[in-house]
Amino acid sequence: MDELLKPALYRAEGTTAVPQRPALLGGECGACGYVFFPLQRYGCEKCGSLDLKPRDLSGAGSLLASARVHLHAGKGRVAPFTVGAIRLDDGPIVRTLIVEEAGPLAVGQRMATTLETATDAEGAPRLDLRFAPEA
Ligand SMILES: [Zn+2]
């Protein structure tokens, strides 16, 4: 299996709640319980506490919005592609790429993580996270 493109953000193994889908590596505030993604150490976005700990987030959620990008100025990605905002079942909202074969998308539909082969800056194959409609 290829290495992950961004191993600080996700892992191939799922969580206990959603074992078959790659987990996202988020965090939780020890003071107020706020759950966030990605993990950061600057302080809780809700209460400011520095008591932050890693928390694995299940790779499942609901689609809030999506957009098909037909023109993209960045060099890292070739249009067209689809981006979406997904509210994870564990709370945080993530902005993410959606698999090309997803077909028509509807707000509120169930989405789940999957790993797809991409390439890193040097062109080597790496697995990168996407969301796909839940089968
Ligand atoms: Zn907090």
Side-chain angles (χ1 to χ4, degrees):
M1 184 184 256
D2 292 324
E3 293 175 47
L4 300 177
L5 185 63
K6 299 166 188 162
L9 297 180
Y10 49 81
R11 64 166 196 231
E13 298 76 28
T15 61
T16 306
V18 185
Q20 74 279 23
R21 296 295 191 166
L24 290 91
L25 306 181
E28 181 175 349
C29 176
C32 76
Y34 182 72
V35 178
F36 53 92
F37 176 85
L39 180 60
Q40 49 85 9
R41 304 287 184 183
Y42 302 108
C44 176
E45 298 163 51
K46 190 173 174 189
C47 77
S49 171
L50 295 176
D51 180 18
L52 305 176
K53 58 191 176 190
R55 176 170 160 172
D56 299 337
L57 306 175
S58 294
S62 301
L63 185 68
L64 295 176
S66 66
R68 185 80 173 149
V69 177
H70 294 278
L71 189 63
H72 183 58
K75 292 181 180 153
R77 189 166 310 289
V78 178
F81 55 90
T82 302
V83 294
I86 291 163
R87 182 183 297 280
L88 300 176
D89 291 347
D90 288 323
I93 295 171
V94 296
R95 289 167 188 83
T96 182
L97 287 164
I98 293 173
V99 295
E100 277 305 297
E101 59 275 17
L105 297 165
V107 169
Q109 83 179 75
R110 298 292 298 161
M111 303 290 287
T113 53
T114 186
L115 292 171
E116 187 169 270
T117 301
T119 53
D120 69 9
E122 283 77 44
R126 295 285 185 266
L127 291 173
D128 197 13
L129 195 78
R130 303 282 187 271
F131 275 76
E134 204 163 57

